[in-house]
């Protein structure tokens, strides 16, 4: 059993929207396939994955460094001891040869695409959904459904409060009961008015989170916190630079409600520093690390183990994502909840038609692997990749 070919394509996002710092109209995502010599139903089994939404495709890193290293590795050394599956850690070790410690940036995203494709591949080899394979591997008893929230409220070219309210009402009509919106892309006064407009649709402030995407310095972060403190929002996300742990600590001292961060931390060491210096409050504040940004599931599970050893719970982990891969991982690891991108960031964002939203929860279905082939807007790209 061996990987015979690795294919990658950078697919454009369909997203003419902005948060406080990024316009997504020009973004791409790397879609990757690990093609094996194992045949099922007359076709070679292929593991599929992509790097995370919100960055750019990693074609250069993948094609110049990681894919050649993996193809040069001895096939037997990439397998589990019993030879029945591919070993994600051994695959990751093969592609990370000659890489220095540290420097966790785009390299972590590119490596994650390959590592996660191995999990998809192994699940397909066992004819089971990825969430079940992940749960079995790590000894987790998965919940039948996972709490989700609809992430939206971006800044659109035609932005106004009516448009924001219409978007949130659409998510409510789809069955979502919790929501997140962006702040920091307008003035403080305008953003407070947007929050008030959103709450007219959402109702309970505890069902609405806000996300600044790391835009603020300490003074601005505190000013927003002071302005929002009487709302009692669900959480205040990524107020400042992801590595500014002193800002997080100062904000935690003054802002009485939940904080959330971690999306842009790509290693166990970074998360350890957040725990030690950011004053994250156990059973209160939330961690949002993204395995598609941090070398894959193996590094992500080490992050969870580290925070649990420091007195936090995996229920405090709500990963960044909003797509099928994220949902399978959250369910498989028994985490606190998942982000959803309904109708946003096509063709990667959102869930397949088989994922029914009910009572604020969703189950990822029974399709083998991450079920990416069942996503109607993504499947044409998958078909093109596999038939190249």
């Amino acid at each position: 059993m061996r990987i015979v070919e690795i294919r990658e394509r950078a697919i454009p996002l369909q997203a003419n929207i902005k948060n406080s710092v990024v316009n997504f109209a020009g973004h791409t995502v790397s879609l990757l396939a690990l093609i094996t010599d194992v045949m099922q139903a007359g076709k070679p089994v292929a593991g599929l994955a992509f790097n995370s939404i919100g960055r750019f495709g990693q074609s250069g890193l993948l094609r110049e460094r990681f894919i050649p290293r993996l193809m040069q590795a001895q096939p037997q050394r990439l397998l589990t001891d019993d030879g029945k599956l591919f070993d994600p850690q051994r695959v990751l070790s093969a592609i990370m040869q000659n890489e220095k410690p540290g420097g966790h940036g785009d390299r972590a995203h590119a490596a994650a695409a390959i590592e996660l494709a191995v999990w998809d591949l192994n699940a397909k080899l066992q004819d089971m959904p990825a969430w079940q394979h992940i749960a079995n591997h790590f000894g987790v008893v998965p919940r039948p459904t996972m709490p989700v929230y609809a992430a939206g409220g971006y800044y659109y070219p035609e932005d106004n409060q009516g448009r924001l309210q219409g978007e949130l009402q659409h998510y409510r009509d789809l069955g979502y009961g919790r929501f997140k919106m962006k702040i920091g892309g307008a003035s403080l006064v305008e953003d407070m008015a947007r929050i008030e407009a959103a709450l007219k649709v959402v109702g309970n402030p505890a069902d609405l989170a806000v996300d600044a995407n790391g835009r603020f310095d300490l003074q601005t972060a505190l000013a927003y916190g002071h302005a929002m403190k009487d709302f009692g929002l669900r959480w205040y996300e990524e107020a400042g630079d992801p590595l500014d742990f002193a800002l997080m600590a100062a904000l935690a001292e003054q802002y009485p409600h939940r904080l959330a961060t971690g999306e842009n931390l790509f290693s166990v060491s970074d998360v350890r520093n957040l725990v030690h210096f950011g004053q994250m409050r156990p059973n209160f504040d939330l961690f949002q690390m993204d395995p598609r940004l941090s070398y894959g599931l193996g590094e992500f599970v080490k992050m969870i183990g580290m925070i649990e050893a420091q007195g936090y719970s995996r229920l405090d982990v709500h990963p960044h994502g909003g797509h099928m891969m994220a949902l399978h991982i959250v369910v498989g690891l028994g985490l606190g909840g998942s982000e959803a991108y309904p109708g946003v960031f096509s063709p990667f964002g959102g869930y397949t038609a088989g994922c029914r939203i009910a009572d604020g929860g969703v189950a990822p279905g029974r399709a083998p692997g991450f079920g990416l082939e069942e996503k109607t807007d993504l499947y044409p790209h998958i078909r093109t990749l596999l038939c190249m």
Side-chain angles (χ1 to χ4, degrees):
M1 184 169 67
R2 59 191 293 267
I3 296 169
V4 297
E5 189 177 357
I6 304 173
R7 299 174 182 173
E8 181 271 345
R9 289 188 68 193
I11 309 299
L13 275 183
Q14 299 172 25
N16 188 23
I17 55 178
K18 297 187 295 183
N19 61 28
S20 65
V21 295
V22 172
N23 186 322
F24 296 96
H27 275 216
T28 57
V29 176
S30 279
L31 177 64
L32 182 120
L34 303 180
I35 301 172
T36 72
D37 60 356
V38 180
M39 303 297 289
Q40 290 181 354
K43 297 180 180 180
V45 181
L48 298 169
F50 53 84
N51 71 307
S52 192
I53 294 170
R55 304 304 184 281
F56 291 92
Q58 305 298 329
S59 301
L61 286 168
L62 286 163
R63 296 185 184 191
E64 293 172 12
R65 283 155 53 184
F66 295 151
I67 291 176
R69 289 173 188 163
L70 188 54
M71 295 305 297
Q72 291 164 10
Q74 294 184 17
Q76 195 63 31
R77 293 187 176 181
L78 301 177
L79 302 179
T80 55
D81 289 341
D82 61 11
K84 294 181 179 179
L85 298 173
F86 292 88
D87 188 315
Q89 182 55 53
R90 291 173 181 175
V91 169
L92 184 63
S93 296
I95 66 175
M96 289 296 293
Q97 289 183 34
N98 295 322
E99 298 283 339
K100 289 185 177 180
H104 310 298
D106 283 6
R107 180 180 75 179
H109 320 337
I114 292 178
E115 198 262 11
L116 287 163
V118 176
W119 290 93
D120 181 72
L121 175 57
N122 284 339
K124 289 172 177 172
L125 290 171
Q126 299 172 93
D127 194 28
M128 67 173 58
W131 64 263
Q132 186 66 68
H133 170 53
I134 292 167
N136 293 348
H137 184 88
F138 293 105
V140 173
V141 178
R143 286 185 274 176
T145 62
M146 179 57 61
V148 295
Y149 66 91
Y154 288 85
Y155 296 94
Y156 289 80
E158 69 280 14
D159 198 33
N160 58 62
Q161 292 182 18
R163 199 223 174 281
L164 172 64
Q165 290 177 320
E167 178 187 359
L168 296 176
Q169 184 60 54
H170 173 63
Y171 297 154
R172 182 175 288 283
D173 293 343
L174 291 174
Y176 292 93
R178 289 179 170 173
F179 313 87
K180 186 172 76 176
M181 60 176 287
K182 300 299 182 180
I183 59 173
S187 69
L188 175 58
V189 172
E190 291 174 299
D191 274 340
M192 293 308 105
R194 293 177 77 248
I195 292 173
E196 291 174 352
L199 288 173
K200 291 179 181 178
V201 176
V202 174
N204 185 358
D207 291 332
L208 179 67
V210 294
D211 182 2
N213 290 107
R215 176 70 182 271
F216 302 148
D217 57 19
L218 177 58
Q219 181 178 357
T220 308
L222 293 173
Y224 266 77
H226 179 75
M228 294 188 299
K229 67 179 181 180
D230 293 335
F231 286 126
L233 299 173
R234 191 179 184 204
W235 69 68
Y236 177 11
E237 180 174 330
E238 208 167 35
D241 186 287
L243 295 177
D244 192 345
F245 305 128
L247 182 151
M248 285 296 297
L251 190 57
E253 290 179 352
Q254 298 194 35
Y255 185 68
H257 305 294
R258 283 191 179 95
L259 299 173
T261 191
E263 168 188 337
N264 291 294
L265 302 181
F266 307 145
S267 72
V268 172
S269 297
D270 287 339
V271 179
R272 183 180 295 111
N273 284 334
L274 171 63
V275 168
H276 288 169
F277 304 113
Q279 293 191 14
M280 298 289 283
R281 296 161 288 186
N283 301 311
F284 192 70
D285 293 328
L286 299 177
F287 296 86
Q288 299 176 306
M289 295 79 72
D290 182 343
R292 289 149 305 276
L293 295 176
S294 50
Y295 298 100
L297 193 57
E299 184 81 2
F300 183 67
V301 168
K302 292 176 184 177
M303 294 175 182
I304 294 172
M306 187 275 297
I307 67 171
E308 287 181 323
Q310 296 297 319
Y312 299 86
S313 167
R314 67 178 53 211
L315 296 179
D316 297 331
V317 182
H318 291 240
H320 167 262
H323 45 66
M324 289 301 297
M325 292 174 63
L327 181 61
H328 276 264
I329 290 170
V330 169
V331 171
L333 293 178
L335 305 182
S338 188
E339 186 172 25
Y341 290 145
V344 184
F345 296 127
S346 180
F348 297 95
Y351 303 146
T352 64
C355 296
R356 297 184 60 189
I357 311 298
D359 300 322
V362 63
R366 301 294 311 182
F370 290 120
L372 300 181
E373 294 90 337
E374 293 199 342
K375 198 164 185 302
T376 55
D377 53 348
L378 183 58
Y379 181 70
H381 299 285
I382 293 173
R383 183 176 56 195
T384 300
L385 185 65
L386 295 180
C387 296
M388 286 173 61

